[in-house]
Amino acid sequence: MQKSPLAESASARPNSVAVARAEIDANTRELDQRYWQRADVVELLDSRTRLFDQILRQFFSTHFKGVEARICLLAVGGFGRAELFPGSDIDICLLTDNADALKEPIGHFLRDLFDLKVEIGYSVRTPDECREQAQADITIATALFERRLLTGDASLATDLARKLGPDSLWPGNEFFRAKRDEQIKRHERFDNVDYGLEPNIKSSPGGLRDYQTAIWVCHRQFGTTSPDVLVDLGVLTAEEKDWLVEGRRFLWWVRFGLHLLSGRKEDRLQFQLQRELAKRLGFADTQAQLGVERFMHLYYKHVLALREVNDILLQDFEERILSGGDVHQIEPINPRFQLHNTWIETVDDGVFAHTPDAMMELFVIMANRRDISGVRASTIRLLRENLHRVDDQFRASPEVTGLFMDLLRAPHTLVSQLTRMRRYGLLGRYIPEFGRVIGQMQHDLFHIYTVDAHTMMVIRNMRRFFYRSADKAFPVAAHCVRQIPKIELLYIAGLYHDIAKGRGGDHSELGAYDVRRFCGRHGISAADTDLVCWLVEKHLYMSSVAQRQDIYDPDVVHTFATEVKSERRLDYLYALTVADINATNPNLWNSYRATLLRHLYGATRRALRRGLESPLDRAATLEASRESAEERLRSADPDLDRNHLIKFWEIPGEEFFLRHSARQIANVTLACMAHDPATSPLVLLDNTTARVDEDAVTELHLYILDEPGLFGRITAALDHLHLSVYEASVNTATNGLCFNSFVILNDANAAIPAREHPRLTAQITTLLVTQGQKGLPLKRVPRQMKQLSRRSECTISTPPGADWSVLMVNALDRPGLLAEIGALLQSFQVTVLRARIATLGERAEDLFDIQTASRTSYDPAAAYDLSQAIRQALDWHMQKAI
């Protein structure tokens, strides 16, 4: 057998370390090559572990050869499990009964290890100290329980084994309770979400730590970690063993690749690493899905399975270990089910075989009672064993469909029961189209959950609208759900609104087709079926109109109301829209979106009550608004100069009169007419809201002299003050006076408190007066946005007969983007009339009504040249910021 170069160099310490480092580098290169050639990851882990076993044994021999005091070297933690990844820490314990006598060789040994330039975790302890530390800290205890003797005095290891045995330390019940509580806290750090946007492959729910927790508890209780032995003992079923083994191997495979790609210990599946792994592991794009989405779908499938095994094992242990000594109280429920100490179970193992519809009945019972803690582990396993009985005949059974509708109408824990059905496999079998989206994700920052997890959150939000707390947080939605006559129809729309994602085509239309078949199977009337199909097909409609159109325009409201047709459909659509937004990404919901949707809801309801055959006339609405405002002005100032008033009112656009109350118009008008913008800009801040308990937005009005690049200067000033612009209206008179309005929020996505208005007004005024249009500093782009870098899109079109053009910018959102666009528009001598800002996850979709410097629209050639120039400039800025 050929000797390792390390062994030949042991006598010369510097050379020995250098050779060891060379071997580590060579091993890393070899493993990198073998990994991408699809070598078995178990063999790769074994190769890495054997290398470090050899290095540490050799170093130990070099430094402790001939010493009189007893000492041995233990591998602990992941190293003890022989699971070394390229970036893993090397965790060891030097076990001795006389550390003082070995102080010098221990120091030299550790010096050599640290010179290897790998992460070393070490401790120097006596057996008694190990026991003391393990008794005090379950994490230390777990690491020591996974120890592996590498070399040295074996009698010390034997002594330690005796001191750490379950008879004297952390007996099975105490160890289980501690590890269960530890896992609960860990899951809470990830909001109990196993389908996170950038999951931690080690620590997230369903990750490797969940697998290890289950195995640790098994080892402490049964003295084995072998899945096959655990099956023989009845601890695992054969299916659960396969989930455990396959899931562990898959996560090992992914984690190994993460370490190789990042060149360090990295357990977060970041966006860029997701894409690179998917590409290098052969997950190609298809027409319907990106390769990275197919890769993550497989990842989530294994994570879900691992979490299920972990959950059922811990629940089984709780029933066996913690409740084993309790008195068994049995309460019959019906001929099929009974309560066993508050946990529901079947009366015998043949219930689901003899009465398959009992699988659905189980969840209906729990949704109608508050005294059931959950499902017994044996019944969960029995249900899984009978899932093959969920076929077309089962799905078409009137008894089963009736039970499912009863579940949707149940008073308690609907979301908990649907979640259980999803996790136990029943929901995906009963609704096959839902089964296809379990673990389905979209590779963007907009959708932070998988489709199935998002769907459960949508229905959870719908239920929460009934809570008293919703009266303040979501007042309109709370009103809507209490007006809805058949709440189950809303839940069905929520269940199906995204069910066709990942298939290609329009998921709203495909989902409407699917839900029509569902309604037919469940005996839902034709009228109710049409409503549900409309909700699924139009679930994005209200949000789109609110964010992309002028909802203060009576014509826009009339068109929307014509599509909605009735107040009942409006209530359903509003509740679905708000539940959907809040379940997509918590950061999407803010006071601005709340205000938009609330206004559109109120305006549409008034239009429906007035009758669609009697729409508001835009011109008449404008005239009525001006008349009401003038009445208020004359009450405040009987000597008001009407000519002066008419001249000022030529400056604000029609939006100013359509979207503001007479009081607001009068207040702003008085302030502007009393101010000379030639001396300084007039800055007005106002928080607008319909009621005291509703969300507000802050409106900024500027009365200012026009000049080239004004829009860019304003947006730069607001960006400097960390204010986000959501809407902008720029109006300029022929006399060079400008009246500009902006809807702004602070960096907490909320209206600026009124107490801060004086300070902020002074700051904005100072910036506008003193700030020249300097080159904008490049702001740091967040990591996730860097990893999702994509080309900007810019188009310019001109509505028929209009003297303005519409610029659409679709770009990667980033700090200072609007100020950046404003500066570009100034440099290209573009006049901005209006702007509407929409941010959807990582994408900014901004619309600008623009004119040339000579106040005309852009011809096609000039529009193309300008749009390309803006796109290229935005992409250049993005690359510089990265």
Side-chain angles (χ1 to χ4, degrees):
M1 181 176 175
Q2 186 177 4
K3 284 188 176 182
S4 163
L6 182 68
E8 296 174 355
S9 307
S11 58
R13 182 256 161 197
N15 193 35
S16 175
V17 172
V19 171
R21 288 176 60 179
E23 287 204 341
I24 293 170
D25 292 342
N27 178 261
T28 302
R29 290 192 297 271
E30 176 196 351
L31 295 182
D32 184 279
Q33 183 178 15
R34 291 172 61 193
Y35 177 84
W36 300 116
Q37 291 174 348
R38 306 295 192 273
D40 186 344
V41 70
V42 176
E43 295 178 4
L44 302 181
L45 292 171
D46 182 63
S47 173
R48 190 70 167 180
T49 302
R50 282 188 286 106
L51 172 68
F52 277 94
D53 284 356
Q54 171 190 319
I55 292 172
L56 267 67
R57 284 172 180 146
Q58 187 61 61
F59 282 11
F60 187 92
S61 175
T62 298
H63 294 292
F64 296 104
K65 186 176 181 179
V67 299
E68 294 183 3
R70 294 194 305 161
I71 188 169
C72 70
L73 177 62
L74 302 177
V76 297
F79 189 23
R81 294 191 303 270
E83 296 174 10
L84 278 191
F85 295 83
S88 290
D89 296 348
I90 310 300
D91 293 325
I92 59 169
C93 175
L94 285 165
L95 191 64
T96 179
D97 54 8
N98 193 349
D100 289 340
L102 298 172
K103 187 173 182 180
E104 184 175 344
I106 288 173
H108 291 161
F109 173 76
L110 292 175
R111 178 194 61 194
D112 281 1
L113 291 189
F114 285 116
D115 283 349
L116 293 176
K117 306 301 181 184
V118 295
E119 290 295 325
I120 304 292
Y122 76 95
S123 62
V124 181
R125 297 189 181 114
T126 66
D128 285 337
E129 287 171 339
C130 285
R131 187 188 187 286
E132 181 181 340
Q133 292 291 319
Q135 180 68 60
D137 190 325
I138 187 63
T139 303
I140 294 175
T142 306
L144 287 172
F145 291 161
E146 296 184 302
R147 67 194 176 279
R148 184 166 54 91
L149 177 63
L150 292 177
T151 186
D153 192 323
S155 64
L156 278 168
T158 302
D159 184 25
L160 180 62
R162 186 169 56 254
K163 293 180 183 296
L164 296 183
D167 294 336
S168 59
L169 179 74
W170 289 109
N173 60 337
E174 293 182 11
F175 184 75
F176 165 75
R177 186 180 287 109
K179 297 311 290 186
R180 181 200 59 188
D181 294 346
E182 183 183 69
Q183 176 171 291
I184 290 171
K185 291 179 181 177
R186 174 168 51 82
H187 283 189
E188 286 174 350
R189 293 203 309 269
F190 294 92
D191 295 325
N192 287 298
V193 174
D194 41 15
Y195 291 162
L197 191 66
E198 292 183 314
N200 186 302
I201 200 168
K202 179 179 177 181
S203 301
S204 290
L208 282 168
R209 190 61 86 205
D210 277 11
Y211 158 78
Q212 290 157 0
T213 297
I215 289 299
W216 290 333
V217 172
C218 287
H219 183 261
R220 202 65 180 166
Q221 184 67 22
F222 304 108
T224 182
T225 61
S226 167
D228 290 320
V229 174
L230 292 172
V231 172
D232 293 340
L233 292 173
V235 178
L236 288 175
T237 66
E239 181 182 47
E240 289 164 356
K241 183 207 78 169
D242 291 341
W243 288 353
L244 202 65
V245 172
E246 292 171 8
R248 177 190 63 181
R249 184 181 292 270
F250 179 82
L251 293 185
W252 278 353
W253 184 52
V254 174
R255 191 184 189 206
F256 208 98
L258 277 179
H259 284 205
L260 290 175
L261 284 177
S262 60
R264 64 181 187 279
K265 179 182 178 180
E266 177 58 79
D267 293 328
R268 291 174 302 165
L269 262 172
Q270 297 178 3
F271 278 177
Q272 181 63 29
L273 296 175
Q274 289 175 19
R275 287 210 307 268
E276 285 210 32
L277 265 179
K279 181 179 179 181
R280 296 193 63 174
L281 294 175
F283 290 84
D285 293 349
T286 66
Q287 271 195 322
Q289 279 185 290
L290 297 174
V292 64
E293 293 173 350
R294 295 175 57 229
F295 166 68
M296 292 303 294
H297 195 170
L298 183 59
Y299 168 83
Y300 290 126
K301 173 186 173 184
H302 283 292
V303 163
L304 178 62
L306 274 177
R307 188 173 186 185
E308 282 306 293
V309 178
N310 169 277
D311 283 355
I312 202 164
L313 275 177
L314 295 192
Q315 182 178 322
D316 191 26
F317 290 147
E318 184 166 4
E319 293 171 7
R320 293 187 191 206
I321 299 172
L322 297 188
S323 305
D326 294 348
V327 175
H328 294 276
Q329 296 181 343
I330 305 297
E331 176 193 330
I333 295 176
N334 62 28
R336 293 165 296 283
F337 297 101
Q338 61 190 19
L339 276 189
H340 186 154
N341 294 348
T342 76
W343 294 77
I344 193 170
E345 65 179 3
T346 56
V347 296
D348 61 61
D349 291 348
V351 166
F352 295 143
H354 299 141
T355 315
D357 59 329
M359 287 188 280
M360 188 68 72
E361 182 188 18
L362 168 67
F363 301 97
V364 178
I365 291 171
M366 286 194 288
N368 281 278
R369 297 180 58 154
R370 290 178 178 267
D371 59 343
I372 300 177
S373 300
V375 187
R376 293 270 293 184
S378 57
T379 298
I380 296 173
R381 285 169 165 154
L382 192 63
L383 186 148
R384 287 201 184 110
E385 291 170 7
N386 284 274
L387 284 177
H388 65 279
R389 303 182 190 281
V390 182
D391 52 18
D392 288 341
Q393 183 178 354
F394 179 95
R395 299 181 193 101
S397 164
E399 290 77 13
V400 174
T401 57
L403 284 167
F404 190 73
M405 294 303 295
D406 288 344
L407 175 63
L408 295 179
R409 300 184 186 106
H412 313 302
T413 65
L414 169 64
V415 179
S416 296
Q417 305 320 317
L418 288 174
T419 300
R420 283 192 174 103
M421 290 174 65
R422 172 178 68 111
R423 294 178 61 181
Y424 301 163
L426 180 59
L427 191 58
R429 294 279 298 194
Y430 183 64
I431 305 177
E433 52 268 39
F434 185 83
R436 287 194 289 270
V437 297
I438 292 178
Q440 175 67 46
M441 59 87 73
Q442 289 181 250
H443 191 65
D444 58 35
L445 292 177
F446 183 60
H447 302 87
I448 67 171
Y449 305 114
T450 56
V451 175
D452 56 315
H454 162 73
T455 299
M456 294 298 105
M457 290 182 179
V458 168
I459 300 174
R460 180 197 64 184
N461 289 339
M462 293 170 176
R463 298 284 284 190
R464 287 181 172 177
F465 293 155
F466 286 99
Y467 297 174
R468 293 180 63 181
S469 59
D471 290 337
K472 182 174 183 180
F474 303 100
V476 179
H479 165 81
C480 288
V481 295
R482 293 177 183 129
Q483 301 303 310
I484 286 172
K486 297 180 180 178
I487 194 63
E488 66 272 18
L489 301 183
L490 181 65
Y491 298 149
I492 294 169
L495 194 58
Y496 270 83
H497 78 289
D498 275 352
I499 209 162
K501 282 195 169 179
R503 297 190 210 168
D506 187 325
H507 78 279
S508 300
E509 293 179 1
L510 295 172
Y513 173 79
D514 286 345
V515 81
R516 186 171 292 280
R517 292 189 303 168
F518 173 92
C519 291
R521 195 167 74 243
H522 287 76
I524 296 173
S525 70
D528 288 346
T529 295
D530 288 342
L531 169 61
V532 174
C533 292
W534 178 80
L535 287 170
V536 172
E537 185 174 356
K538 298 295 183 180
H539 72 272
L540 298 174
Y541 182 52
M542 190 170 195
S543 178
S544 176
V545 171
Q547 294 186 77
R548 291 186 171 94
Q549 298 186 41
D550 181 5
I551 58 174
Y552 296 92
D553 186 335
D555 294 340
V556 171
V557 173
H558 180 73
T559 300
F560 179 75
T562 302
E563 173 63 42
V564 173
K565 291 184 173 61
S566 72
E567 285 190 62
R568 181 173 72 110
R569 296 200 341 167
L570 178 63
D571 287 339
Y572 276 105
L573 182 60
Y574 183 90
L576 174 60
T577 300
V578 176
D580 187 21
I581 292 173
N582 281 274
T584 300
N585 186 326
N587 295 327
L588 288 177
W589 187 253
N590 55 34
S591 58
Y592 172 69
R593 285 188 173 88
T595 300
L596 287 180
L597 287 170
R598 185 173 62 240
H599 176 84
L600 181 57
Y601 174 86
T604 305
R605 187 171 65 169
R606 289 190 293 273
L608 292 169
R609 289 180 175 180
R610 190 168 51 246
L612 295 176
E613 69 282 355
S614 305
L616 285 178
D617 180 73
R618 180 185 176 94
T621 302
L622 284 167
E623 185 59 31
S625 177
R626 291 189 179 101
E627 287 178 0
S628 297
E630 187 172 349
E631 287 179 7
R632 280 183 167 268
L633 287 166
R634 291 205 174 278
S635 297
D637 181 7
D639 298 325
L640 178 73
D641 183 343
R642 194 169 193 279
N643 290 330
H644 189 188
L645 173 66
I646 298 302
K647 187 174 182 181
F648 170 72
W649 275 358
E650 291 175 355
I651 306 174
E654 292 181 346
E655 279 188 19
F656 176 66
F657 297 96
L658 290 173
R659 68 181 299 157
H660 294 97
S661 67
R663 177 188 62 80
Q664 291 171 317
I665 295 170
N667 290 343
V668 171
T669 300
L670 281 174
C672 290
M673 291 176 63
H675 183 80
D676 181 5
T679 60
S680 68
L682 174 64
V683 178
L684 300 172
L685 292 173
D686 180 36
N687 285 0
T688 60
T689 182
R691 293 205 320 248
V692 174
D693 61 342
E694 290 183 339
D695 290 320
V697 295
T698 298
E699 280 197 286
L700 163 66
H701 301 295
L702 287 174
Y703 188 36
I704 190 171
L705 291 178
D706 188 26
E707 60 180 89
L710 179 61
F711 182 78
R713 284 183 58 203
I714 296 170
T715 54
L718 298 178
D719 180 67
H720 179 78
L721 296 171
H722 307 290
L723 300 172
S724 298
V725 177
Y726 284 86
E727 287 185 28
S729 176
V730 179
N731 302 278
T732 306
T734 55
N735 60 4
L737 293 176
C738 275
F739 181 84
N740 300 340
S741 296
F742 297 83
V743 174
I744 58 176
L745 298 178
N746 60 20
D747 52 9
N749 258 342
I752 293 95
R755 65 180 179 276
E756 297 180 16
H757 286 190
R759 174 186 58 81
L760 191 58
T761 297
Q763 288 178 316
I764 295 173
T765 302
T766 299
L767 283 171
L768 291 177
V769 170
T770 62
Q771 173 185 278
Q773 188 61 33
K774 303 174 183 178
L776 290 169
L778 292 175
K779 295 198 172 184
R780 183 173 178 269
V781 176
R783 172 187 57 79
Q784 290 178 328
M785 290 182 179
K786 291 180 185 179
Q787 296 176 355
L788 284 173
S789 181
R790 50 179 275 183
R791 291 186 64 185
S792 304
E793 299 174 15
C794 295
T795 61
I796 297 177
S797 58
T798 301
D803 62 351
W804 77 89
S805 299
V806 179
L807 165 66
M808 186 279 292
V809 177
N810 189 329
L812 192 69
D813 191 31
R814 52 197 184 264
L817 175 62
L818 186 60
E820 187 180 318
I821 294 173
L824 288 172
L825 296 179
Q826 177 201 351
S827 67
F828 293 123
Q829 296 184 319
V830 175
T831 300
V832 178
L833 303 179
R834 284 168 294 278
R836 183 169 287 262
I837 315 303
T839 303
L840 307 174
E842 78 280 2
R843 293 177 295 115
E845 296 183 359
D846 299 344
L847 295 174
F848 302 88
D849 291 347
I850 59 173
Q851 288 181 326
T852 65
S854 55
R855 299 290 182 171
T856 64
S857 61
Y858 283 83
D859 64 61
Y864 177 81
D865 291 342
L866 177 61
S867 64
Q868 292 304 302
I870 293 173
R871 180 190 63 75
Q872 291 171 8
L874 288 175
D875 287 343
W876 181 85
H877 274 276
M878 181 66 187
Q879 291 303 315
K880 292 283 286 184
I882 290 177

